[in-house]
Amino acid sequence: MLQVHQLYKSYEDAKVLEEIQFSVGKGEFFGILGPNGSGKSTLLKLLSGIERSSSGEILLEGKPVERYTRKQLSRSVAVLQQESLPPVNFTVKEVVEMGRYPYQNWLGEEKGNQAAIVDIILHKLRLVELQDRSLQFLSGGERQRVALGKVMAQQPKLLLLDEPTTYLDIGYQIQMMDRIKAWQTEEKMTVVAVLHDLNLASIYCDRMLMIHKGRTVCLGTPADIMRSELIEQVYGTTPIIVEHPVHQLPQIILQQGGSFIE
Ligand code: ADP
Ligand code: MG
């Protein structure tokens, strides 16, 4: 589905990404991890075609991303940005409908049944009661659900997520991740998600890439990544690794006084 070869990105003289190389198979749930400022959001912007790499190649279904037109690209790839939707004066339903833009002609008309698709999504995300409410009168968690609705309406093959759970409490974090996972499984969609919570990443991702200062530190399964010495090297704190009693996957427990970042 996605192949990344020898990717480099610099802003003026600052190197942000170097020698990034990985591929993601169809239907895979792939995580991108790393400390603040390690280049995760930049990598996602390159994958989505929002920004160009300095060198290297990104192939989407075998074709370089820059060879897609914006409309073609938005039929294949949807992005859920780090900031949830701004509290603007659009209704919930209008925002979900905006996700259909890639399927409309220049008059804003669509061949298929747009209303049905939008209704199904509003139902799935329990947004029916909120559909006529303006975004500015929603909580952060509700706005994030609407943002997910908009990308669902896009019916992408590849979904890119930048820290989709950052501002959510634990209940909404799991709800958000479960909805994404259920949708991914149903549609055999490919997901690439930047996640800052290692424990959440371990539970939901098939494989992950850990980057540090723009370079790959590890590419592998949760068991390959969730190792004490690796996390110590990257994050400057030594966690305790335990096995999740239900999912049988590695989880980290933080300990007091373990930081050695100057
Ligand atoms: P992360 O998402 O992992 O926290 P980012 O990809 O946002 O990290 O940023 C990685 C580095 O690239 C940071 O040092 C940041 O300051 C720098 N950077 C990001 N975008 C730009 C830009 N448009 N111009 C210059 N530097 C940038
Ligand atoms: Mg970021």
Side-chain angles (χ1 to χ4, degrees), residues 186-207:
E186 273 170 35
E187 304 290 331
K188 298 196 174 45
M189 183 176 59
T190 310
V191 178
V192 175
V194 171
L195 296 167
H196 73 286
D197 186 323
L198 295 167
N199 287 337
L200 219 51
S202 176
I203 296 175
Y204 287 95
C205 297
D206 301 310
R207 282 189 313 129

Side-chain angles (χ1 to χ4, degrees), residues 81-253:
Q81 293 286 357
Q82 193 158 9
E83 313 77 40
S84 149
L85 298 166
V88 286
N89 193 16
F90 285 110
T91 68
V92 167
K93 191 172 180 184
E94 282 167 346
V95 173
V96 175
E97 281 168 352
M98 284 174 201
R100 295 305 298 167
Y101 158 77
Y103 301 95
Q104 294 164 353
N105 65 16
W106 59 279
L107 287 170
E109 293 160 342
E110 191 181 331
K111 284 199 199 104
N113 193 346
Q114 167 177 326
I117 294 165
V118 169
D119 274 347
I120 290 168
I121 291 167
L122 291 172
H123 266 101
K124 263 197 183 152
L125 296 179
R126 306 221 159 77
L127 290 170
V128 176
E129 255 116 83
L130 295 176
Q131 65 178 309
D132 297 318
R133 197 182 294 177
S134 166
L135 237 47
Q136 54 199 318
F137 303 118
L138 297 181
S139 71
E142 289 164 341
R143 261 208 295 280
Q144 195 68 338
R145 242 153 73 213
V146 179
L148 181 64
K150 181 175 171 233
V151 292
M152 282 177 89
Q154 242 176 290
Q155 299 183 308
K157 294 176 191 156
L158 173 64
L159 174 65
L160 303 175
L161 305 162
D162 196 350
E163 302 198 5
T165 59
T166 304
Y167 304 109
L168 306 179
D169 65 41
I170 51 172
Y172 279 121
Q173 284 182 27
I174 293 292
Q175 186 190 67
M176 186 80 180
M177 294 303 287
D178 279 348
R179 291 227 160 95
I180 293 165
K181 188 93 193 175
W183 175 33
Q184 181 223 1
T185 314
E186 273 170 35
E187 304 290 331
K188 298 196 174 45
M189 183 176 59
T190 310
V191 178
V192 175
V194 171
L195 296 167
H196 73 286
D197 186 323
L198 295 167
N199 287 337
L200 219 51
S202 176
I203 296 175
Y204 287 95
C205 297
D206 301 310
R207 282 189 313 129
M208 11 204 221
L209 171 76
M210 182 171 272
I211 58 176
H212 182 34
K213 296 181 180 162
R215 289 181 161 274
T216 300
V217 181
C218 188
L219 172 64
T221 62
D224 297 327
I225 301 266
M226 302 282 277
R227 288 184 289 118
S228 182
E229 62 282 10
L230 188 79
I231 290 169
E232 183 181 305
Q233 175 202 334
V234 172
Y235 289 89
T237 183
T238 315
I240 297 163
I241 312 282
V242 295
E243 191 185 71
H244 194 294
V246 176
H247 300 294
Q248 273 88 45
L249 286 160
Q251 295 284 286
I252 63 167
I253 302 179

